Amino acid sequence: KLFNCLLKAFSLEGEDHADSTMGIDLKAGGREKKNGRTEPKTENPYIRLLVKLYRFLSRRVDSNFNKVILKRLYMSKQHRPPISLSRLARNMKDKEGKIAVVVGTVTNDVRLLEVPKISVCALRFTDSARTRIVKAGGECITFDQLALRAPKGGNTVLLRGPKDREAKKHFGAAGVPGSHTKPYVRSKGRKFERARGRRKSRGFKV
């Protein structure tokens, strides 16, 4: 009798222990992880002030536009690629009266001979790009000015530069074992990048 009672007690203890060490409750969102940024890593005070402004707008204004701007302000510089004037002009064709919005840098393009009259809002403009836009009768505005003009993102065209660009191929350390980083060389051929470190017969090869 005593043995049966002890056996029953141990089996109940085992059940309790099994319940307490069960896996993650998937229905309650146990494995749901949000990996996106919730704030920018940069210490730039201007970007941090813009984040404060667009955080408020995304919370209080019923528009998805501000949420997208806020998300892009959080991004690293690598995910905020620059956009050239030629691409900007191409995307703003037949969109008169609208403001081009770029969460990044607007750069000049010497291949573009005539710059159309456009209004552009961006985080930064290169000097030559700004000069050409203003000279063509357009305007370069900041994001706080945009918040006053279009708090809901009306009459705007949200644009981004191409992420896969030549500069990204050079990010990292070239010549390190296992690295596929493209080195900066004068040319590609028999005489270039073929010396020490690239051939067994010239010291070593990586």
Side-chain angles (χ1 to χ4, degrees):
K1 232 177 197 179
L2 184 67
F3 178 75
N4 286 339
C5 285
L6 285 167
L7 197 68
K8 199 177 270 186
F10 275 118
S11 66
L12 283 169
E13 262 187 30
E15 278 174 22
D16 290 339
H17 182 70
D19 287 337
S20 65
T21 57
M22 275 178 72
I24 297 162
D25 189 353
L26 292 175
K27 282 188 179 176
R31 283 194 197 275
E32 196 67 39
K33 285 186 180 178
K34 290 181 180 176
N35 295 321
R37 284 187 181 185
T38 53
E39 63 174 0
K41 282 199 174 181
T42 179
E43 294 300 316
N44 187 328
Y46 300 107
I47 288 181
R48 288 198 165 266
L49 281 169
L50 285 178
V51 163
K52 269 190 173 184
L53 170 64
Y54 276 91
R55 230 181 228 150
F56 171 79
L57 286 172
S58 65
R59 193 174 70 245
R60 297 295 295 272
V61 179
D62 185 27
S63 170
N64 209 38
F65 173 80
N66 296 312
K67 288 183 176 69
V68 174
I69 295 289
L70 181 65
K71 191 181 176 184
R72 291 185 188 182
L73 284 169
Y74 289 159
M75 289 178 180
S76 64
K77 202 173 178 184
Q78 198 168 321
H79 289 105
R80 288 189 275 111
I83 189 167
S84 67
L85 271 181
S86 56
R87 188 178 285 265
L88 205 60
R90 194 164 67 241
N91 285 304
M92 291 304 288
K93 198 177 179 183
D94 303 325
K95 291 186 178 78
E96 289 170 15
K98 295 202 172 189
I99 304 168
V101 181
V102 181
V103 185
T105 307
V106 174
T107 57
N108 185 27
D109 193 344
V110 291
R111 297 168 298 181
L112 184 69
L113 301 175
E114 279 188 35
V115 178
K117 184 184 175 183
I118 44 173
S119 294
V120 190
C121 171
L123 282 179
R124 185 174 157 268
F125 296 87
T126 60
D127 289 339
S128 49
R130 187 188 290 275
T131 306
R132 289 189 76 185
I133 290 167
V134 173
K135 198 175 179 182
E139 56 177 347
C140 304
I141 65 169
T142 55
F143 274 95
D144 49 328
Q145 289 171 318
L146 180 73
L148 292 170
R149 282 198 205 180
K152 287 191 174 184
N155 274 341
T156 59
V157 181
L158 198 53
L159 299 171
R160 272 203 276 200
K163 280 192 179 179
D164 291 322
R165 55 204 171 99
E166 175 62 25
K168 273 185 91 172
K169 293 177 183 176
H170 299 282
F171 291 172
V176 174
S179 170
H180 296 287
T181 304
K182 189 176 182 180
Y184 284 107
V185 287
R186 280 180 299 154
S187 185
K188 190 174 181 179
R190 176 184 57 82
K191 299 188 290 184
F192 307 98
E193 295 283 307
R194 295 287 182 272
R196 192 170 178 275
R198 300 302 294 162
R199 282 190 288 178
K200 282 273 188 193
S201 60
R202 299 290 182 274
F204 67 100
K205 186 184 187 303
V206 292

